[in-house]
Amino acid sequence: MRPVAALFGQRARLRWLHLILGGALFMPFWMVGSLVAAPLLGGGGLFTGDLGVQLGAYAAGLPLAAVTALFPLARPMSVAAARALCGVPADRFADGPAHGRTEKARTAGWFSLHLGAGALISGASLALPPFAAAVMALPFSPALRESELGRIWGLDRPGWVWAGIPAGLLMLLALAAGAAATGTLLARQAPRLLGPSPADLLAAAERRAAEAESRNRLARELHDSVGHALSAVTLQAGAARRVLDGDRADLEFVREALTAIEETTRRTVGELDWVLGVLRDDGEAERPGPGPGLDSLEALVRGAGPRVTLTVSGDLGPVPEALSREAYRIVQEGLTNAARHAGGEPVAVRLDARTEEWEITMENPLPERPPVARPHGGRGLRGVGERARLFGGTAEAGPVDGVWRLAVRIPR
């Protein structure tokens, strides 16, 4: 069954169709080549039956096809046809027009090979089946046996006439084998001639790196926004519950805790809308506005609870949008870390803009018990370091003089 599938299976049929397409594309070049070859070889006209003129037109058409392949659309068109019909994995082809001499030469080589081989197989596919059918019909048609066809093949003699049937079948089998072999040859050469060049591979690697960086950035945004909101809401709700369960309920404290929960959730919904807007951005819709920045810092600290204080030294002044957003996220992650490990102790946030570096410092007393390591934790402080290094800054976190300190320095 394998030989039959190799000659007549779906893959073989698609590759045969690919060759027929190449032959159809070669027709304009063959016609132009005929106009050149016919006068030189003394042929009759455009559609002369002279074999020499036909071969001359074929030889003149191939260089014209190679020159046409230098145009930008040649490689995308060839790649689209080869991907659909050659049975080669799609990722082994290059995308876009060819750039540089080497890529254009490879495209010209493929275009000439495809059209040249396609012209030969197309011609054979048009001429050979009728001829083979006529040969196989010789035993059943006295008129055919008496014609030039029967006399040339010597099949007009008694006893030999039935040889026309196996001869015709062998012709058709040879045509199928030739088409399958030529299709296999093109499939093997397609990745070499239409595959990505080193420049294409580098560009693809850069695109993948950019996509990975974009995914990591969005993952950090979601982690910081949602993680902070859940930590702050859990802390405020727990504090309010403990007050209500006590002997003397402090309704004002409960009101402040509920207000902080409301502000935190409302702000987080806005931040999630911004992140989801970035994820949905396809280049056509209006791009979502910038994320939260330093102008939202007071609301962030207020939503973290009454035991969090913010001190700003110096003039923050106008800062780039990206730097403002990253500074906000650094403070947000620091508050999230403090909410998880500070045990309800006061948290001091300080921003110092009096020097050439921004200094963001967050301190809270160390808990009596060291924090239990979470099996999937640790991403927050690592994200703070990544954000700081993005702008050439540094980040340090650890116990100092009885407090836990997160210190970030970013050049202005």
Side-chain angles (χ1 to χ4, degrees), residues 20 23 118-129 175:
I20 298 298
L120 296 177
I121 297 299
S122 298
S125 299
L126 289 174
L128 197 56
L175 174 61

Side-chain angles (χ1 to χ4, degrees), residues 291-295 319-329 358 391:
L294 291 175
D295 54 347
V319 295
E321 176 186 308
L323 181 57
S324 176
R325 184 174 62 249
E326 297 303 323
Y328 175 90
R329 293 300 188 193
W358 270 17
F391 293 92

Side-chain angles (χ1 to χ4, degrees), residues 203-221:
E206 291 176 348
R207 286 195 301 270
R208 289 193 296 269
E211 292 172 359
E213 174 59 27
S214 178
R215 289 194 298 269
N216 290 337
R217 180 175 66 86
L218 292 176
R220 288 197 302 266
E221 296 287 343

Side-chain angles (χ1 to χ4, degrees), residues 316-402:
L316 297 180
V319 295
E321 176 186 308
L323 181 57
S324 176
R325 184 174 62 249
E326 297 303 323
Y328 175 90
R329 293 300 188 193
I330 288 173
V331 175
Q332 185 180 55
E333 181 53 40
L335 291 175
T336 303
N337 190 68
R340 288 170 179 164
H341 303 308
E345 296 293 334
V347 179
V349 181
R350 294 192 298 272
L351 270 73
D352 192 346
R354 291 174 296 182
T355 62
E356 295 181 355
E357 289 184 328
W358 270 17
E359 294 186 8
I360 303 175
T361 307
M362 306 185 66
E363 294 181 350
N364 58 268
L366 287 172
E368 295 181 0
R369 295 181 180 179
V372 178
R374 294 175 292 125
H376 302 291
R379 296 186 181 91
L381 293 179
R382 185 162 58 246
V384 169
E386 292 174 356
R387 293 179 186 277
R389 287 191 295 273
L390 184 64
F391 293 92
T394 61
E396 298 177 356
V400 179
D401 297 332

Side-chain angles (χ1 to χ4, degrees), residues 48-330:
T48 179
D50 190 328
L51 181 60
V53 174
Q54 299 287 343
L55 294 177
Y58 179 82
L62 285 177
L64 296 176
V67 172
T68 305
L70 299 179
F71 288 93
L73 287 178
R75 188 167 78 168
M77 182 180 68
S78 299
V79 166
R83 274 179 172 159
L85 302 174
C86 274
V88 179
D91 58 356
R92 300 190 65 184
F93 292 100
D95 293 314
H99 300 287
R101 295 181 179 179
T102 303
E103 287 76 13
K104 291 182 178 180
R106 291 164 60 202
T107 303
W110 166 261
F111 203 66
S112 301
L113 177 63
H114 179 205
L115 270 62
L120 296 177
I121 297 299
S122 298
S125 299
L126 289 174
L128 197 56
F131 182 77
V135 171
M136 288 188 291
L138 284 173
F140 311 102
S141 174
L144 284 175
R145 291 196 298 271
E146 295 174 359
S147 67
E148 187 72 21
L149 177 64
R151 289 193 296 270
I152 290 177
W153 283 75
L155 299 179
D156 55 344
R157 292 175 296 176
W160 284 89
V161 66
W162 294 101
I165 295 177
L169 292 176
L170 286 175
M171 293 179 198
L172 296 178
L173 185 62
L175 174 61
T182 307
T184 301
L185 172 65
L186 261 66
R188 289 178 178 176
Q189 295 300 320
R192 297 180 183 178
L193 299 176
L194 294 178
S197 65
D200 294 326
L201 294 174
L202 179 60
E206 291 176 348
R207 286 195 301 270
R208 289 193 296 269
E211 292 172 359
E213 174 59 27
S214 178
R215 289 194 298 269
N216 290 337
R217 180 175 66 86
L218 292 176
R220 288 197 302 266
E221 296 287 343
L222 285 172
H223 172 269
D224 292 352
S225 179
V226 176
H228 170 78
L230 292 177
S231 297
V233 167
T234 301
L235 181 63
Q236 297 294 337
R241 179 185 56 78
R242 287 194 297 270
V243 170
L244 290 176
D245 290 343
D247 296 335
R248 299 177 59 185
D250 188 346
L251 296 182
E252 184 61 28
F253 180 88
V254 174
R255 185 178 294 107
E256 290 179 358
L258 293 177
T259 300
I261 292 174
E262 180 183 3
E263 291 184 358
T264 300
T265 53
R266 183 184 294 113
R267 184 183 65 254
T268 304
V269 168
E271 295 179 12
L272 284 176
D273 286 341
W274 177 78
V275 174
L276 294 176
V278 173
L279 287 172
R280 288 192 298 263
D281 182 29
D282 57 3
E284 297 179 0
E286 182 180 357
R287 190 171 182 85
L294 291 175
D295 54 347
S296 304
L297 203 56
E298 292 186 1
L300 174 66
V301 172
R302 187 169 57 250
R307 309 204 72 178
V308 180
T309 59
L310 172 64
T311 304
V312 178
S313 302
D315 183 15
L316 297 180
V319 295
E321 176 186 308
L323 181 57
S324 176
R325 184 174 62 249
E326 297 303 323
Y328 175 90
R329 293 300 188 193
I330 288 173

